[in-house]
Each structure stands twice: as structure tokens, then as C-alpha cells.
Amino acid sequence: MAKLKEKGINPGLAVIIVGDDPASRVYVNNKKKACEYCGIKSEEYALPEGTTQEELLKLIEELNGRDDISGILCQLPVPEHISEEAVINAIDPKKDVDAFHPVNVGKIMVGNYDFVPCTPAGVMELIHESGIDVSGKECVVVGRSNIVGKPQAMLLLHENGTVTICHSRTKDLAEKTKNADILVAAVGKPNFITGDMIKPGAVVIDVGINRMPDKKLCGDVEFETAEKIAGAITPVPGGVGPMTIAMLMKNTVKAAIVNKTK
Ligand code: GUN
């Protein structure tokens, strides 16, 4: 960070949160803390639930124009009266550290990108740091969201994995998951993937963060049964979650370099 600052490049992240969803509040606090830890300036815009779409888009427009703000993110979900698509489209693609804007989504599709969505990027970083080679492996992604499932599949494909995307209409899911050398669970259903759905020795990456009635966090994978079968597995909490935040910091620094933020 010091080297960047010597060059007159100062990363700055604007984090917008609309309403008081408790999970979003925790995520935003964690993002701000990470900025502090890394020496990245962060500005929080906590807007009331009743904020209009017009007001939100006006704020994004102002942030797009500021040369001391390199990255902008609006925590999702936004309240129902605001169009998520309009918000995503309003953020300047060069400041889109979530990589949700269609321009950045398209770049990921063709394999020439600056920003990768933080969660799939974090999953890839875990795979690389664990010395796992994706090339030629059977990769199964369970979940097809724009935030995780779809870009995750693309990133695995770019590394020459043979990728299958499964979803709620997939027939005989266990047959597909049992075929996976690398299994990414991103469905948002607690304990959905059980040990008997996993190939012995497989790499199992759990993207789920589900809050249980007792307030404990739980993944999409039933850890107790899965860890006995998997060759490598990530826990929840403490697996993919911190990686997502680390990738956000990486994207913010990249954005500062691209935008030469002062
Ligand atoms: N809501 C859940 N995950 C994310 C994320 O990665 N970015 C934003 N902006 N909102 C989210």
C-alpha cells in the first residue's frame, strides 16, 4: 500500500447499504474493518429503507465522478422498491469492485477481465493456494446465481475444468455431485450437500452462509458427514467468507490503479 501511495495512488472504497438487513450490516462492517486493516480509505453510506431509487442512483452518480473513490459497492439485496439491475448498471464499470455490471460480466465470459466477483475469486484463490490443478477435473457447481454460480463456472472453465452447473431443477443431483473432483456448493440451503453425495477424496468448497434459528452460521454442506469423505473441505464460518473480503480488497486496489485514484 505504501508503494502505491508513494506513486500518488490512494485506494478508496464507497460502501452503500440501504435499509437495516442484519446480515447485510454484518457484511458491510466486515468490509469496512478489512479496509482499515489494509490501509484503504472507506466511506459508508447507510441510507434509510425508504430511500428512493432516484436518490440512490444520484449518490452513485456522484461517487462515479469522484477522483478519490476507486471502488463502489452497493450491498445487495436492496429493498424491493429499488431495481437491483438499475443499481448495478449505474455503477461505473471501472469502479465496479463487485464485478456485477454487465460490462464486467461480459469480460469474464470472454476471459479478459480486471475484476472478478469476490466470492468466486476467493474460491479460486483457495484452490490455487492449496496446490490443486483444475485442468481436466470434473467440476460441479451447485447453484446458478449471477453473483456466484455462473461466474464460478466460468472461472473453472477458464482453467480447463470440465464444468457442470446444477440447480433446483437438476434431476438426480447426487449422481452429478458424486462425479465431482471439485464441488462448489452455492445454493443457500443449510446442510444441503451430505457426505453420501460426495466422491471420496473430492475437493469440497462451501460458499453457503446460512443463519440457523439458534443464530449459528451453517454452510450448504453438512460438514460432519462430508469431511469424512472429502480430500479437502472448507468450513463455515472461516472458509470462503474471509476470502471474499480479501478479494474485495484486491479489486479495490486494482480499481485504484486503473482509475489512478488520488
Ligand atoms: N450480497 C451478498 N453478497 C454480496 C456481494 O458480494 N456484494 C454485494 N454488493 N452484495 C452482496
Side-chain angles (χ1 to χ4, degrees):
M1 198 62 65
K3 278 191 185 152
L4 273 183
K5 289 183 179 173
E6 265 171 34
K7 289 183 187 161
I9 294 173
N10 288 293
L13 178 66
V15 182
I16 306 170
I17 176 170
V18 188
D20 42 23
D21 177 66
S24 291
R25 175 36 68 199
V26 172
Y27 296 142
V28 165
N29 286 349
N30 287 342
K31 288 170 185 182
K32 277 170 31 195
K33 265 190 233 159
C35 282
E36 234 171 80
Y37 179 80
C38 297
I40 293 174
K41 178 183 83 166
S42 74
E43 287 184 5
E44 178 185 303
Y45 294 86
L47 308 180
E49 181 83 20
T51 302
T52 64
Q53 180 169 311
E54 200 188 351
E55 286 166 334
L56 177 55
L57 296 187
K58 190 165 167 270
L59 169 63
I60 292 172
E61 203 49 47
E62 276 169 30
L63 294 167
N64 280 341
R66 274 179 54 185
D67 58 11
D68 62 331
I69 290 291
S70 31
I72 304 167
L73 80 80
C74 179
Q75 190 66 30
L76 302 177
V78 283
E80 267 179 25
H81 65 275
I82 297 175
S83 153
E84 189 174 294
E85 191 182 4
V87 172
I88 289 171
N89 288 346
I91 295 173
D92 181 341
K94 289 200 189 71
K95 296 190 176 187
D96 173 31
V97 283
D98 270 323
F100 292 166
H101 191 287
V103 165
N104 289 322
V105 174
K107 286 185 169 189
I108 291 160
M109 191 85 177
V110 296
N112 172 21
Y113 41 80
D114 290 318
F115 303 127
V116 191
C118 304
T119 300
V123 169
M124 296 313 290
E125 195 81 7
L126 283 170
I127 289 174
H128 297 151
E129 285 296 312
S130 307
I132 294 156
D133 184 13
V134 175
S135 185
K137 299 262 165 60
E138 292 292 334
C139 305
V140 174
V141 179
V142 188
R144 55 173 157 180
S145 69
N146 289 335
I147 295 182
V148 185
K150 288 184 204 168
Q152 188 70 71
M154 275 304 134
L155 298 187
L156 291 163
L157 185 61
H158 290 325
E159 295 195 12
N160 304 312
T162 302
V163 184
T164 304
I165 306 177
C166 299
H167 46 78
S168 54
R169 303 279 174 94
T170 296
K171 293 202 179 102
D172 202 351
L173 178 66
E175 181 205 17
K176 309 281 189 302
T177 56
K178 262 188 177 165
N179 198 32
D181 302 311
I182 299 174
L183 178 61
V184 180
V187 253
K189 291 186 185 157
N191 298 321
F192 186 71
I193 305 285
T194 46
D196 57 343
M197 296 167 75
I198 295 169
K199 179 174 172 175
V203 173
V204 179
I205 301 171
D206 191 352
V207 174
I209 303 181
N210 307 290
R211 182 79 60 179
M212 302 304 276
D214 66 0
K215 300 260 181 334
K216 277 197 185 140
L217 288 181
C218 162
D220 290 349
V221 178
E222 189 180 63
F223 192 84
E224 297 69 33
T225 55
E227 72 163 336
K228 294 189 176 83
I229 313 290
I233 186 166
T234 64
V236 176
V240 174
M243 294 305 295
T244 296
I245 307 243
M247 295 303 105
L248 173 64
M249 299 300 104
K250 191 171 171 180
N251 279 347
T252 304
V253 170
K254 251 189 201 171
I257 296 166
V258 169
N259 296 308
K260 297 197 170 52
T261 318
K262 293 178 194 117

